[in-house]
């Protein structure tokens, strides 16, 4: 049960900034009792747009409480423009990772923050993805833009990933086909097979792709072969531009269980650093994005 | 915080010291195969026979009606399997919406394979409706499978009456008695069920052993095929140490049945009253009139179950929750959902299940500390009404 990082446990047992904030001038509320978790985030923002105080009230599990609490710590002293750049991955990383099935707690935190700041700016007190998106999951009230944002910011590659991060499709399941279609389209866009139809504006952080991925805490991975292959292929698309920048490239040769065989091409061939590239770049990224025990081999090794 | 207060006996139980002791020689000395011709192996068979008698005695059954299995789930799967195999023209299964997943998932499997499944609903206390049950029984019904007692709220269902109604119509009746065994006095000479499942680890035997009672004369098709063990009804070399352990555990259960129903029930009541008297806005889920002696399921308004369990865990108190706060859990648990427990309460429903090893001191420690846990979590909650 304590499959939480020490930080999650600490912030759950001794949460900072708990309780309502009397002089709050921005409040963001997301979730509901029916959904099983809900967060009310209180902010006191000064005239210059700097968050002076923050507090929270959360109905939910340990990770929901910890995510809310650490978020309040993160935003105090921050300008709202910078606060809006906080992603769910930032929240999860600040907690040293969350179990996969709890990632939606970090998404909830990000959305409450955005809703509060929007309210302060006189906009509807909803995350933009919810205001502008089309409703996909009626059980948990999740829109297509929320799903797209989660896919892009967290490099999600399966419908189950999307459920873990947004809860969409987790209850009655009737929207799972629609989620699968959204996912397919987004993956194609990310691979450059489709033109990029500007997604939710609040995301669009070009550095997001190169940023280290969220760690999934201690939850053991349970990927099927097919899911693993899909994830490896998606991750390879993120690795290639990094090598291409140095005049090299990499080709995926084979995936056998957790062993991924690649062929380094271009300037990478014969480069004295190619072994390091293999292990420090490719293997590390695959281990973070796919599974912690992936092994990368060079073809012909 | 080294002390552990174990109030999760519906999940699993401590192996009784007497059970461990009875099992040990079968690891160290009598480790032969009971099917062997030689004396060394063959001598073990009589201990399996003895265990069979001990298990039969707990239910007033005949030893030949006892089939040892690996767990309650295997027993449940076997019961449904044999009923459908021996009634190939009947395509309907009757069960309830509050069964354990061992039955629910098995029924769903057969449903995907062309069977029709009726899942009886329950009222707000988790009780079944006898009229709905009667109406569900049709000439096409191959088997009825209804739990003797529910694992989450502890409700005891009127199995003698329901089995009788099935019998009158010539329909096979199976009951999952995993939670009831050793706590409810089940006399199979009087209760007309055709099959009954139990699991060792819910009554102080180890995990990995179970039993299926199959009434004498019932046509049977094995679920696990292979060797001739268990009179050809369950293949696989007998798990002798665990079978011996289950026999001893059933002997102990028979000896302690009255204590379960008097002392353990009183401890449960003390815990339940202690919590409900000191925590505002909580309610007890289930049918308090017909309930397992050690089980109480208490819901706390406006907070969430996992947080409650983790706070209790810090105090060394082991309990469990119907709620699994994961992304896929709009519904707190299939049992509480079937009972239509209000959302404000359902997410924090916490099950405390006691056994004969619990003490009044443990109960009093819990009563003393739980109200503060609930208060803390309520202060964090945005819902105050």
């Amino acid at each position: 049960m304590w499959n939480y990082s020490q930080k999650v446990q600490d912030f759950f047992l001794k949460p900072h900034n708990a309780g309502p904030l009397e002089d709050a001038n921005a409040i963001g509320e997301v979730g509901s009792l029916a959904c099983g978790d809900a967060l009310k985030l209180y902010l006191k923002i000064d005239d210059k747009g700097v968050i002076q105080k923050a507090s929270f009230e959360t109905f939910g599990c340990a990770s929901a409480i910890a995510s809310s609490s650490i978020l309040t710590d993160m935003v105090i002293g921050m300008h709202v423009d910078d606060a809006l750049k906080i992603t769910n991955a930032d929240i999860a990383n600040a907690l040293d990772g969350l179990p996969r099935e709890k990632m939606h707690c970090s998404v909830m935190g990000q959305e409450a923050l955005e809703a509060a700041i929007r309210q302060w700016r006189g906009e509807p007190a909803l995350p933009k993805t919810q205001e502008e998106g089309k409703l996909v999951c009626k059980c948990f009230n999740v829109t297509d833009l929320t799903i797209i944002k989660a896919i892009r910011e967290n490099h999600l590659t399966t419908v189950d990933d999307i459920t873990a991060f947004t809860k969409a499709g987790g209850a009655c399941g009737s929207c799972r086909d629609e989620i699968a279609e959204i996912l397919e389209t987004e993956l194609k866009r990310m691979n450059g097979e489709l033109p990029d139809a500007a997604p939710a504006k609040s995301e669009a952080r070009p550095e997001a792709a190169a940023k280290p991925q969220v760690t999934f805490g201690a939850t053991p991975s349970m990927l099927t072969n097919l899911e693993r292959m899909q994830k490896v292929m998606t991750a390879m698309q993120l690795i290639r531009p990094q090598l291409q920048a140095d005049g090299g490239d990499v080709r995926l040769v084979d995936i056998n269980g957790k062993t991924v065989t690649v062929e380094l091409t271009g300037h990478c061939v014969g480069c004295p650093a190619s072994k390091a590239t293999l292990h420090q770049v490719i293997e590390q990224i695959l281990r973070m994005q796919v599974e912690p025990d992936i092994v990368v081999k060079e073809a012909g090794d | 915080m080294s002390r552990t207060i174990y109030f999760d006996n519906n999940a699993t139980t401590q192996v009784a010291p007497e059970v461990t002791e009875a099992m040990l020689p079968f690891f160290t000395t009598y480790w032969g195969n009971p099917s062997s011709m030689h004396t060394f192996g063959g001598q073990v068979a009589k201990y399996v026979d003895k265990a069979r008698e001990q298990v039969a005695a707990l239910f007033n059954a005949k030893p030949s009606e006892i089939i040892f299995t690996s767990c309650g789930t295997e027993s449940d799967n076997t019961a449904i399997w044999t009923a459908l195999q021996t009634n190939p023209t009947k395509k309907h299964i009757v069960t309830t919406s509050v069964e354990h997943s061992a039955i629910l998932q098995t029924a769903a499997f057969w449903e995907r394979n062309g069977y029709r499944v009726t899942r009886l609903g329950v009222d707000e206390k988790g009780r079944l409706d006898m009229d709905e049950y009667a109406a569900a029984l049709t000439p096409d019904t191959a088997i009825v499978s209804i739990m003797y007692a529910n694992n989450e709220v502890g409700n005891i269902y009127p199995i003698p009456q329901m089995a009788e109604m099935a019998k009158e119509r010539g329909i096979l009746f199976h009951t999952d008695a995993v939670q009831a065994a050793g706590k409810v006095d089940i006399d199979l000479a009087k209760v007309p069920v055709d099959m009954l499942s139990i699991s060792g680890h819910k009554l102080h035997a180890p995990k990995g052993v179970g039993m299926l009672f199959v009434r004498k004369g019932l046509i049977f098709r094995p679920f696990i095929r292979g060797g001739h063990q268990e009179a050809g009804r369950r293949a696989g070399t007998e798990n002798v140490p665990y079978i011996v352990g289950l026999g001893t555990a059933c002997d102990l259960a028979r000896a302690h049945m009255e204590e379960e129903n008097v002392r353990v029930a009183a401890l449960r009541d003390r815990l339940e009253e202690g919590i409900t008297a000191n925590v505002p806005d909580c309610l007890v889920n289930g049918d308090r009139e017909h309930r397992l002696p050690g089980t109480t399921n208490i819901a706390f308004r406006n907070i969430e179950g996992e947080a409650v369990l983790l706070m209790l865990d810090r105090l060394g108190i082991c309990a469990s929750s119907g709620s699994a706060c994961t992304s896929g859990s709009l519904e707190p648990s299939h049992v509480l959902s079937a009972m239509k427990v209000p959302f404000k309460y359902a997410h924090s429903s916490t099950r405390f299940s006691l056994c004969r090893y619990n003490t009044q001191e443990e109960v009093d420690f819990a009563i003393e500390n739980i109200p503060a846990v609930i208060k803390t979590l309520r202060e964090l909650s945005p819902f105050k009404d």
Side-chain angles (χ1 to χ4, degrees):
Chain A
M1 166 165 21
W2 286 102
N3 127 30
Y4 286 127
S5 71
Q6 191 58 45
K7 249 184 166 161
V8 174
Q9 296 183 39
D10 293 346
F11 274 83
F12 163 60
L13 292 169
K14 293 203 167 57
H16 305 173
N17 311 315
L21 189 62
E22 295 303 327
D23 54 345
N25 57 358
I27 296 177
E29 281 183 84
V30 291
S32 76
L33 261 175
C35 294
D37 41 26
L39 161 60
K40 193 168 182 180
L41 185 72
Y42 300 83
L43 302 177
K44 163 78 175 144
I45 305 172
D46 70 13
D47 301 342
K48 297 190 185 82
V50 176
I51 298 168
Q52 297 292 338
K53 294 184 200 168
S55 77
F56 77 95
E57 289 178 299
T58 294
F59 162 83
C61 58
S63 56
I65 290 169
S67 296
S68 315
S69 180
I70 204 161
L71 175 64
T72 56
D73 271 3
M74 288 162 76
V75 299
I76 292 173
M78 219 180 228
H79 191 276
V80 291
D81 292 345
D82 295 322
L84 281 177
K85 290 181 191 149
I86 291 175
T87 63
N88 75 284
D90 295 333
I91 299 172
N93 285 334
L95 288 167
D96 295 337
L98 281 173
R100 206 184 146 62
E101 68 276 12
K102 302 284 189 178
M103 284 302 291
H104 66 270
C105 297
S106 65
V107 173
M108 188 168 78
Q110 189 280 326
E111 289 190 335
L113 175 64
E114 192 187 330
I117 295 174
R118 278 165 57 85
Q119 189 214 38
W120 177 75
R121 286 178 167 169
E123 296 165 25
L126 281 173
K128 212 171 174 98
T129 49
Q130 234 181 71
E131 189 202 1
E132 296 179 359
K134 170 174 153 282
L135 191 62
V136 176
C137 172
K138 294 175 185 71
C139 300
F140 289 116
N141 195 22
V142 184
T143 68
D144 58 345
L145 292 184
T146 304
I147 292 169
I148 291 169
K149 183 174 168 183
I151 294 171
R152 295 191 156 229
E153 290 187 353
N154 300 285
H155 308 291
L156 307 184
T157 52
T158 66
V159 174
D160 286 344
D161 280 344
I162 293 170
T163 303
F165 279 69
T166 66
K167 299 178 107 178
C172 77
S174 66
C175 60
R176 286 179 68 88
D177 286 346
E178 198 177 343
I179 296 172
E181 278 172 36
I182 295 172
L183 177 65
E184 200 184 339
T185 310
E186 278 316 299
L187 290 179
K188 281 183 182 162
R189 280 190 182 133
M190 289 162 76
N191 288 340
E193 293 166 37
L194 277 178
D196 206 346
K201 292 191 187 67
S202 53
E203 67 95 34
R205 294 213 303 161
E207 71 271 33
K211 260 186 73 168
Q213 259 298 287
V214 183
T215 49
F216 285 136
T219 309
S221 126
M222 299 278 281
L223 297 179
T224 65
N225 279 327
L226 198 62
E227 285 174 333
R228 187 181 303 114
M229 288 180 184
Q230 284 171 342
K231 277 177 174 267
V232 168
M233 289 195 285
T234 310
M236 291 301 286
Q237 295 307 317
L238 299 168
I239 293 167
R240 290 183 59 202
Q242 294 185 32
L243 303 187
Q244 284 162 353
D246 292 325
D249 207 341
V250 63
R251 192 172 71 85
L252 185 58
V253 177
D254 194 15
I255 306 172
N256 185 0
K258 292 184 177 178
T259 305
V260 177
T261 308
V262 298
E263 188 184 4
L264 294 168
T265 57
H267 283 180
C268 294
V269 180
C271 165
S274 68
K275 276 275 180 284
T277 304
L278 205 62
H279 293 113
Q280 286 172 21
V281 181
I282 303 176
E283 192 169 81
Q284 210 174 350
I285 292 178
L286 292 180
R287 285 182 175 187
M288 279 192 289
Q289 302 219 350
V290 185
E291 271 172 312
D293 46 354
I294 290 272
V295 177
V296 175
K297 259 179 44 182
E298 192 173 4
D301 244 5
Chain B
M1 190 61 63
S2 57
R3 122 195 214 140
T4 295
I5 297 180
Y6 192 77
F7 288 162
D8 202 11
N9 287 282
N10 288 10
T12 194
T13 59
Q14 176 191 337
V15 177
E18 298 92 328
V19 169
T20 309
E21 200 183 328
M23 288 168 63
L24 286 176
F26 297 90
F27 291 107
T28 54
T29 311
Y30 303 109
W31 45 264
N33 187 328
S35 302
S36 295
M37 288 302 291
H38 45 71
T39 312
F40 176 70
Q43 66 180 345
V44 174
K46 63 176 180 285
Y47 296 98
V48 174
D49 292 342
K50 184 184 167 209
R52 205 181 301 282
E53 285 165 16
Q54 290 169 312
V55 175
L58 178 59
F59 301 99
N60 195 20
K62 300 178 184 70
S64 62
E65 294 173 318
I66 303 300
I67 302 175
F68 290 114
T69 65
S70 67
C71 59
T73 297
E74 185 197 321
S75 301
D76 287 348
N77 271 271
T78 305
I80 305 280
W81 168 267
T82 185
L84 301 186
Q85 295 298 313
T86 55
N87 291 278
T89 58
K90 297 181 176 181
K91 299 289 179 191
H92 180 222
I93 299 167
V94 174
T95 184
T96 75
S97 51
V98 295
E99 293 300 308
H100 187 272
S101 45
I103 288 294
L104 279 185
Q105 294 302 321
T106 302
F109 168 81
W110 288 112
E111 195 172 35
R112 289 194 297 278
N113 284 275
Y115 283 78
R116 194 163 63 80
V117 176
T118 301
R119 297 171 182 82
L120 303 172
V122 292
D123 68 7
E124 76 291 347
K125 288 190 170 171
R127 292 174 300 198
L128 295 165
D129 176 346
M130 288 305 114
D131 292 337
E132 186 190 355
Y133 172 57
L137 301 175
T138 71
D140 192 39
T141 308
I143 185 166
V144 176
S145 179
I146 296 177
M147 62 192 353
Y148 219 113
N150 180 270
N151 48 317
E152 283 191 38
V153 293
N155 282 11
I156 297 172
Y157 291 113
I159 296 303
Q161 183 194 347
M162 297 177 92
E164 191 61 51
M165 287 164 72
K167 190 182 174 187
E168 283 164 8
R169 292 162 175 81
I171 300 169
L172 290 182
F173 192 99
H174 164 254
T175 184
D176 175 337
V178 164
Q179 295 295 344
K183 299 166 198 159
V184 180
D185 188 9
I186 301 172
D187 180 350
L188 289 174
K190 293 187 185 137
V191 179
V193 302
D194 295 291
M195 290 179 279
L196 171 145
S197 305
I198 75 163
S199 165
H201 75 107
K202 310 282 191 194
L203 73 166
H204 306 289
K207 296 151 197 69
V209 63
M211 180 282 281
L212 178 67
F213 158 87
V214 177
R215 191 171 292 280
K216 191 174 181 210
L218 193 71
I219 311 170
F220 185 85
R221 294 278 177 276
F223 180 61
I224 292 188
R225 289 156 194 281
H228 59 273
Q229 294 87 354
E230 298 297 289
R233 296 174 300 179
R234 199 282 188 181
T237 302
E238 298 87 341
N239 187 353
V240 178
Y242 283 51
I243 288 171
V244 168
L246 180 60
T248 308
C250 284
D251 257 0
L252 290 170
R254 206 150 54 99
H256 288 281
M257 181 98 66
E258 195 187 331
E259 185 195 355
E260 279 282 348
N261 282 283
V262 178
R263 191 181 71 84
V264 177
L267 281 182
R268 185 272 317 269
D269 291 344
R270 186 183 177 92
L271 178 67
E272 186 172 278
E273 281 155 24
I275 294 173
T276 52
N278 292 298
V279 177
D281 293 323
C282 59
L283 55 84
V284 175
N285 292 317
D287 180 2
R288 293 169 84 165
E289 317 290 304
H290 303 97
R291 197 166 46 151
L292 292 173
T295 306
T296 177
N297 186 306
I298 305 178
F300 306 100
R301 191 177 170 99
N302 284 340
I303 54 174
E304 198 276 330
E306 187 204 277
V308 175
L309 292 189
L310 292 180
M311 290 274 187
L312 293 182
D313 189 53
R314 294 282 294 179
L315 296 168
I317 300 173
C318 309
S320 73
S321 164
S323 155
C325 171
T326 60
S327 40
S329 68
L330 181 63
E331 299 194 335
S333 89
H334 68 279
V335 176
L336 300 176
S337 299
M339 290 165 60
K340 301 193 173 60
V341 175
F343 277 131
K344 276 183 178 297
Y345 286 98
H347 285 289
S348 68
S349 293
T350 305
R351 178 186 71 190
F352 302 91
S353 45
L354 282 60
C355 75
R356 60 178 185 261
Y357 294 116
N358 289 121
T359 63
Q360 181 167 327
E361 191 210 344
E362 291 175 327
V363 167
D364 289 346
F365 176 84
I367 295 171
E368 215 167 284
N369 287 281
I370 289 174
V373 165
I374 306 304
K375 186 162 176 280
T376 305
L377 288 172
R378 282 196 175 143
E379 280 166 8
L380 288 177
S381 174
F383 304 108
K384 308 290 187 197
D385 58 327

